[in-house]
Amino acid sequence: MNKLVVGIIIAILSAILGGFFLIGNKSTPSSSPEPTLPQESTRTLDTTIRFNDPKKSAHYESNTPEHGSVLVGVPINVVINFNFDLAPPSSISIAMNGKEYGLDETIIDDNKLSMRRKMNPNSPDGVYTVNYNACWPDKTCHDGNFQFKIDRTQSSTYTDLTDKKEVTINLENINFEPKNIRISKGTKITWINQDEVDHYVNTESHPAHTYYPDQNSKALKNGDQFSLVFNQTGIYPYHCSAHANTMMASILVE
Ligand SMILES: [Cu+2]
């Protein structure tokens, strides 16, 4: 009799605790802080080579190209985003094997929350290390670094639309269709929302959207469209900010 009562109590406790842990586990992803490494692991991360761990400076928010990403073309610039006002002499270096591939000077954007440096469009394939020095109005500076890889051979996985003057990309089924494409310099791309939910076209990173600010649309409702002519060669990773972790794509301009 006592054994039966104990058994029932254990069964009830197990059910309650089991339910508790189930709820606890379910709530974990939304309540836990953002993982620090790697960032946004659903993006084009390379698992075949080992990148160094990035160093994040004070006030660091995000960067494009993303740390550990593999690009099928050369980025038009490297952009780093912060949550505090940048000041001179903030600087960015983009180097491989001791050689600098950054072009011109580092530019602090007008809102002072991001800085950028152009990259040599003839940069060879390989792993690049970005070292940056972020300085603040009180004259203090903090350094940081991250890495990305350029591998042009992987552009064969991109849909070749290089002979087109105009290209349409449909936003449908919460995806960009076609997703990763190659186009020629001067091609006009038009994005059309075919879904019932709102979508956006946003340049990386999320949510700063600073890599190529021209490539930021307003909210696109069903049937709405957004167009942009690409006049500069390079790689343009982008996403929809309403579905930032799944709805992403890239344009290689040749
Ligand atoms: Cu979307």
Side-chain angles (χ1 to χ4, degrees), residues 174 198-200 240 242-243 247:
I174 325 251
D198 287 8
H199 288 302
Y200 296 77
C240 163
H243 308 97
M247 194 171 167

PDB file of all heavy atoms in Angstrom, residues 174 198-200 240 242-243 247, ligand 1:
ATOM      1  N   ILE A 174       9.306  32.803 -48.273  1.00  0.00           N
ATOM      2  CA  ILE A 174      10.296  33.290 -47.309  1.00  0.00           C
ATOM      3  C   ILE A 174      11.704  32.984 -47.801  1.00  0.00           C
ATOM      4  O   ILE A 174      12.560  32.505 -47.057  1.00  0.00           O
ATOM      5  CB  ILE A 174      10.048  32.727 -45.886  1.00  0.00           C
ATOM      6  CG1 ILE A 174       8.561  32.589 -45.626  1.00  0.00           C
ATOM      7  CG2 ILE A 174      10.751  33.581 -44.836  1.00  0.00           C
ATOM      8  CD1 ILE A 174       7.912  33.491 -44.700  1.00  0.00           C
ATOM      9  N   ASP A 198       5.192  40.696 -45.276  1.00  0.00           N
ATOM     10  CA  ASP A 198       6.127  41.744 -45.678  1.00  0.00           C
ATOM     11  C   ASP A 198       7.557  41.200 -45.711  1.00  0.00           C
ATOM     12  O   ASP A 198       7.938  40.393 -44.868  1.00  0.00           O
ATOM     13  CB  ASP A 198       6.088  42.915 -44.691  1.00  0.00           C
ATOM     14  CG  ASP A 198       4.811  43.740 -44.822  1.00  0.00           C
ATOM     15  OD1 ASP A 198       3.911  43.311 -45.574  1.00  0.00           O
ATOM     16  OD2 ASP A 198       4.736  44.801 -44.180  1.00  0.00           O
ATOM     17  N   HIS A 199       8.311  41.667 -46.687  1.00  0.00           N
ATOM     18  CA  HIS A 199       9.735  41.350 -46.746  1.00  0.00           C
ATOM     19  C   HIS A 199      10.512  42.645 -46.922  1.00  0.00           C
ATOM     20  O   HIS A 199       9.940  43.705 -47.208  1.00  0.00           O
ATOM     21  CB  HIS A 199      10.053  40.426 -47.931  1.00  0.00           C
ATOM     22  CG  HIS A 199       9.574  39.019 -47.756  1.00  0.00           C
ATOM     23  ND1 HIS A 199       9.954  38.217 -46.707  1.00  0.00           N
ATOM     24  CD2 HIS A 199       8.747  38.264 -48.528  1.00  0.00           C
ATOM     25  CE1 HIS A 199       9.384  37.027 -46.839  1.00  0.00           C
ATOM     26  NE2 HIS A 199       8.634  37.027 -47.930  1.00  0.00           N
ATOM     27  N   TYR A 200      11.828  42.529 -46.774  1.00  0.00           N
ATOM     28  CA  TYR A 200      12.740  43.655 -46.983  1.00  0.00           C
ATOM     29  C   TYR A 200      13.934  43.158 -47.790  1.00  0.00           C
ATOM     30  O   TYR A 200      14.244  41.972 -47.793  1.00  0.00           O
ATOM     31  CB  TYR A 200      13.295  44.178 -45.655  1.00  0.00           C
ATOM     32  CG  TYR A 200      12.276  44.762 -44.706  1.00  0.00           C
ATOM     33  CD1 TYR A 200      11.451  43.930 -43.955  1.00  0.00           C
ATOM     34  CD2 TYR A 200      12.161  46.135 -44.550  1.00  0.00           C
ATOM     35  CE1 TYR A 200      10.526  44.454 -43.067  1.00  0.00           C
ATOM     36  CE2 TYR A 200      11.237  46.668 -43.663  1.00  0.00           C
ATOM     37  CZ  TYR A 200      10.426  45.826 -42.926  1.00  0.00           C
ATOM     38  OH  TYR A 200       9.513  46.348 -42.049  1.00  0.00           O
ATOM     39  N   CYS A 240      16.777  39.545 -45.715  1.00  0.00           N
ATOM     40  CA  CYS A 240      15.528  40.234 -45.378  1.00  0.00           C
ATOM     41  C   CYS A 240      15.531  40.428 -43.870  1.00  0.00           C
ATOM     42  O   CYS A 240      15.646  39.458 -43.127  1.00  0.00           O
ATOM     43  CB  CYS A 240      14.333  39.391 -45.800  1.00  0.00           C
ATOM     44  SG  CYS A 240      12.790  39.903 -45.007  1.00  0.00           S
ATOM     45  N   ALA A 242      13.235  41.032 -41.844  1.00  0.00           N
ATOM     46  CA  ALA A 242      12.118  40.401 -41.133  1.00  0.00           C
ATOM     47  C   ALA A 242      12.371  38.906 -40.919  1.00  0.00           C
ATOM     48  O   ALA A 242      11.732  38.278 -40.077  1.00  0.00           O
ATOM     49  CB  ALA A 242      10.816  40.601 -41.892  1.00  0.00           C
ATOM     50  N   HIS A 243      13.282  38.327 -41.705  1.00  0.00           N
ATOM     51  CA  HIS A 243      13.603  36.897 -41.599  1.00  0.00           C
ATOM     52  C   HIS A 243      15.116  36.742 -41.692  1.00  0.00           C
ATOM     53  O   HIS A 243      15.641  35.999 -42.530  1.00  0.00           O
ATOM     54  CB  HIS A 243      12.908  36.110 -42.714  1.00  0.00           C
ATOM     55  CG  HIS A 243      11.437  36.376 -42.801  1.00  0.00           C
ATOM     56  ND1 HIS A 243      10.888  37.271 -43.685  1.00  0.00           N
ATOM     57  CD2 HIS A 243      10.412  35.873 -42.063  1.00  0.00           C
ATOM     58  CE1 HIS A 243       9.564  37.301 -43.501  1.00  0.00           C
ATOM     59  NE2 HIS A 243       9.258  36.478 -42.526  1.00  0.00           N
ATOM     60  N   MET A 247      16.502  34.054 -44.389  1.00  0.00           N
ATOM     61  CA  MET A 247      16.260  34.596 -45.728  1.00  0.00           C
ATOM     62  C   MET A 247      17.439  35.466 -46.118  1.00  0.00           C
ATOM     63  O   MET A 247      17.487  36.658 -45.828  1.00  0.00           O
ATOM     64  CB  MET A 247      14.950  35.406 -45.710  1.00  0.00           C
ATOM     65  CG  MET A 247      14.406  35.751 -47.065  1.00  0.00           C
ATOM     66  SD  MET A 247      12.752  36.447 -46.902  1.00  0.00           S
ATOM     67  CE  MET A 247      12.537  37.122 -48.544  1.00  0.00           C
TER      68      MET A 247
HETATM   69 CU    CU B   1      11.382  38.322 -45.289  1.00  0.00          CU
END
